[in-house]
């Protein structure tokens, strides 16, 4: 009897919204080396902080939920142990802050006997710790009571754009992401609490002031369920427009990311209609000098949607110079800049999905070129902004790098 041959393995490629979409759009070639070539960056500061702040907020929510720790949280007693726990987890994965000004780790100190009691006020001033504390004490008390599901994994499958039976790896691809979910039940309960106890929930106040959001929920009857999805960014609020064509439009990309998250969430069996997404730009709560330089430039060139209504803060920033001490900006200004509401519209959602389809198609095209024998730097484009190129580990041999070409005279 003739035995049938084993059929060819059928693998559906899997892509994530942050690990693939955002990385590829930053620089195709850098994405190839870091994500497909498993060559991690030598100083993954932004990646470290993004995962650090996600982990801290997730653990803080869990502790709030089960221990009912009251706000404000004490940094040394309540927050610092969480920070060190998350840092330990990241170190196991090979992720380190690489900058003493960014984070202070007990585990990295020469004195192995050091304990949390040995920390002093100066250690609290480390940038990552300061942002973690502000994120918990400013947003945690408003956000945690609204969360229905924390760190929810959402997945879906889409058809591969430009599928070719002869060359394509698959006619479908998988897409995934992780979000927090707020529900109308929790929101309405907090609204009732606000009316009874005069409790001021800042997130609900921003939702009340957003005309597009109010227009959307006006279509629902009282008692109807809906959801809002949440994402956190370890970065400043991006400019609303980009002047340099090589610079990624993070403002639009983040909107597309939330819209794609909303589509993914809608495919889950227990989901309710998704009416909006909220992004928290947590660097805005404690901006670095580099952030302030960019904020100042964006304010002066009309490249930000938050600013002019806060005249005192705008004056402080405009009168500030890099060598000066950071200006004492108001909490209202920093809070307003740290939250962004994105309303979910089916037409815009479809555009975002098509954009992600296009990005995946570009990644697949480059992968197939390389499989067929094309050189890496010919298969993957390196076309990013000068800031990205300057910090890239691969700039010394990247022939398309403008910084490299200038510094090393590569034709």
């Amino acid at each position: 009897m003739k035995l049938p041959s084993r059929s060819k393995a059928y693998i559906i490629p899997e892509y994530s919204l942050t690990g693939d979409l955002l990385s590829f759009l930053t620089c195709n070639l850098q994405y190839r080396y870091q994500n497909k070539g498993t060559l991690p960056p030598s100083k993954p500061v932004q990646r470290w902080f993004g995962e650090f702040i996600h982990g801290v907020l997730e653990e803080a929510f869990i502790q709030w939920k089960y221990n009912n720790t009251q706000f404000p949280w004490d940094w040394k007693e309540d927050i610092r142990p969480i920070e060190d726990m998350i840092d330990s987890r990241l170190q196991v994965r090979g992720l380190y802050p690489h900058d003493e000004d960014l984070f202070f780790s007990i585990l990295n100190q020469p004195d192995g006997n050091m304990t949390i009691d040995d920390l002093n006020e100066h250690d609290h001033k480390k940038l990552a710790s300061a942002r973690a504390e502000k994120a918990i004490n400013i947003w945690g008390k408003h956000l945690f009571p609204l969360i229905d599901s924390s760190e929810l994994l959402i997945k879906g499958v889409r058809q591969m754009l430009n599928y070719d039976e002869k060359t394509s790896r698959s006619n479908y691809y998988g897409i995934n992401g992780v979000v927090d979910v707020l529900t109308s039940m929790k929101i309405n309960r907090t609204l009732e609490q606000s009316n009874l106890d005069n409790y001021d929930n800042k997130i609900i106040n921003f939702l009340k002031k957003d005309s597009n959001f109010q227009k959307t929920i006006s279509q629902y009857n009282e008692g109807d369920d809906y959801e809002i999805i949440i994402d956190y960014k370890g970065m400043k609020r991006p400019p609303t427009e980009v002047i340099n064509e090589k610079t990624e439009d993070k403002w639009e990309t983040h909107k597309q990311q939330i819209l794609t998250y909303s589509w993914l969430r809608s495919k889950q069996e227990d989901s309710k209609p998704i009416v909006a997404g909220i992004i928290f730009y947590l660097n805005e709560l404690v901006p670095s000098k580099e952030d302030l330089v960019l904020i100042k430039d964006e304010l002066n060139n009309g490249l930000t949607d938050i600013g002019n209504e806060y005249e005192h803060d705008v004056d402080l920033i405009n009168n500030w110079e890099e060598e000066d001490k950071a200006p004492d900006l108001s909490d209202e200004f920093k809070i307003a800049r740290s939250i962004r509401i994105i309303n979910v519209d089916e037409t815009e959602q479809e555009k975002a999905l098509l954009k992600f389809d296009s990005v995946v198609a570009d990644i697949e095209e480059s992968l197939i070129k390389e499989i067929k024998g094309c050189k890496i730097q010919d298969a993957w484009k390196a076309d990013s902004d000068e800031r990205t190129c300057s910090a890239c580990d691969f700039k010394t041999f990247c022939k398309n790098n403008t910084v490299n070409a200038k510094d090393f005279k590569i034709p």
Side-chain angles (χ1 to χ4, degrees):
M1 183 179 71
K2 185 178 180 180
L3 295 175
S5 60
R6 179 184 294 179
S7 59
K8 185 179 179 181
Y10 184 77
I11 300 174
I12 297 178
E14 186 89 5
Y15 290 96
S16 78
L17 282 160
T18 51
D20 292 292
L21 174 68
L22 300 184
S23 298
F24 183 78
L25 290 175
T26 299
C27 176
N28 301 181
L29 184 61
Q30 187 183 77
Y31 165 81
R32 161 61 180 85
Y33 287 131
Q34 292 180 1
N35 293 60
K36 298 300 180 185
T38 62
L39 294 174
S42 61
K43 296 185 178 181
V45 174
Q46 187 166 351
R47 181 182 172 190
W48 177 88
F49 181 65
E51 300 211 21
F52 170 78
I53 201 67
H54 263 273
V56 166
L57 287 172
E58 179 189 8
E59 188 63 33
F61 170 71
I62 292 171
Q63 293 201 18
W64 171 85
K65 184 177 181 179
Y66 293 103
N67 299 332
N68 196 28
T69 308
Q70 298 299 303
F71 294 99
W73 287 17
D74 180 77
W75 175 71
K76 184 180 288 188
E77 296 296 326
D78 302 316
I79 299 175
R80 181 61 209 176
I82 296 176
E83 291 179 352
D84 216 58
M85 179 195 308
I86 301 304
D87 182 44
S88 299
R89 293 177 186 172
L90 294 178
Q91 288 189 34
V92 170
R93 295 168 50 196
L95 291 174
Y96 301 85
H98 287 281
D99 188 344
E100 290 183 0
D101 291 332
L102 183 69
F103 186 64
F104 179 98
S105 175
I106 296 175
L107 301 180
N108 287 337
Q109 295 311 301
D111 181 2
N113 297 320
M114 179 173 283
T115 68
I116 196 167
D117 295 327
D118 298 315
L119 298 176
N120 55 50
E121 186 64 22
H122 173 72
D123 302 325
H124 186 194
K125 304 303 180 184
K126 301 298 183 180
L127 199 52
S129 289
R131 287 170 175 168
E133 189 217 16
K134 290 294 185 183
I136 291 171
N137 281 328
I138 287 180
W139 283 123
K141 62 182 178 180
H142 304 286
L143 177 63
F144 293 171
L146 304 180
I147 292 178
D148 185 70
S149 301
S150 173
E151 293 290 301
L152 182 69
L153 176 63
I154 47 180
K155 304 182 75 171
V157 177
R158 288 185 61 80
Q159 287 188 321
M160 186 72 73
L161 193 66
N162 303 327
Y163 171 71
D164 185 326
E165 186 177 356
K166 295 180 180 179
T167 59
S168 298
R169 297 195 302 159
S170 171
N171 56 340
Y172 291 94
Y173 75 90
I175 177 174
N176 64 73
V178 177
V179 295
D180 288 350
V181 177
L182 315 184
T183 63
S184 55
M185 182 180 70
K186 292 285 186 77
I187 291 171
N188 291 334
R189 185 184 301 164
T190 306
L191 275 170
E192 292 173 4
Q193 183 184 5
S194 299
N195 295 331
L196 291 173
D197 304 331
N198 197 29
Y199 172 64
D200 181 28
N201 187 289
K202 293 187 183 298
I203 295 173
I204 287 180
N205 288 341
F206 276 100
L207 291 172
K208 283 180 177 178
K209 291 187 293 184
D210 190 286
S211 58
N212 289 325
F213 175 78
Q214 292 301 318
K215 182 180 178 180
T216 299
I217 64 170
S218 67
Q219 301 170 21
Y220 292 83
N221 297 319
E222 186 175 351
D224 286 350
D225 287 337
Y226 60 82
E227 293 179 345
I228 297 173
I229 53 179
I230 302 292
D231 191 25
Y232 313 100
K233 299 293 183 189
M235 59 179 292
K236 62 171 284 296
R237 191 183 194 91
T240 53
E241 297 178 36
V242 291
I243 299 175
N244 186 338
E245 61 181 14
K246 287 189 175 184
T247 303
E248 179 197 346
D249 187 354
K250 287 187 171 64
W251 182 259
E252 184 61 26
T253 300
H254 292 169
K255 175 184 175 182
Q256 291 170 354
Q257 184 184 2
I258 286 292
L259 291 170
T260 306
Y261 277 148
S262 70
W263 177 82
L264 285 173
R265 174 58 182 159
S266 71
K267 299 303 177 184
Q268 313 297 304
E269 288 186 4
D270 62 339
S271 70
K272 308 296 188 298
I274 320 298
V275 298
I278 298 177
I279 298 178
F280 291 100
Y281 295 107
L282 298 176
N283 284 26
E284 294 286 351
L285 300 176
V286 186
S288 65
K289 285 194 173 183
E290 183 181 11
D291 292 332
L292 288 168
V293 169
L294 295 173
I295 293 171
K296 182 177 182 179
D297 180 67
E298 289 159 14
L299 286 169
N300 291 329
N301 290 284
L303 299 177
T304 181
D305 62 327
I306 301 293
N308 293 329
E309 62 271 43
Y310 298 91
E311 293 183 8
H312 178 67
D313 295 283
V314 172
D315 288 341
L316 287 175
I317 292 173
N318 283 331
N319 293 325
W320 171 80
E321 299 296 337
E322 274 191 75
E323 60 273 11
D324 298 339
K325 181 182 177 182
D328 187 16
L329 303 174
S330 69
D331 284 343
E332 290 78 12
F333 176 75
K334 291 185 285 189
I335 288 170
R337 285 189 56 85
S338 70
I339 185 171
R340 179 186 177 190
I341 299 170
I342 297 172
N343 289 279
V344 175
D345 173 87
E346 287 188 6
T347 302
E348 291 296 311
Q349 186 184 70
E350 185 59 30
K351 289 179 182 177
L353 290 166
L354 290 174
K355 174 64 176 178
F356 195 86
D357 290 342
S358 177
V359 171
V360 169
D362 288 342
I363 295 173
E364 288 289 317
E365 181 183 359
S366 294
L367 278 170
I368 291 167
K369 284 181 180 178
E370 190 179 337
I371 290 170
K372 289 182 175 180
C374 186
K375 293 181 180 179
I376 290 177
Q377 293 202 40
D378 293 329
W380 302 80
K381 289 170 56 181
D383 189 19
S384 191
D385 57 40
E386 186 172 337
R387 186 181 177 193
T388 299
C389 291
S390 296
C392 182
D393 291 331
F394 316 115
K395 64 184 177 182
T396 54
F397 57 84
C398 175
K399 64 182 180 182
N400 296 321
N401 183 352
T402 53
V403 175
N404 188 45
K406 180 175 64 179
D407 295 342
F408 297 95
K409 309 301 180 185
I410 294 178

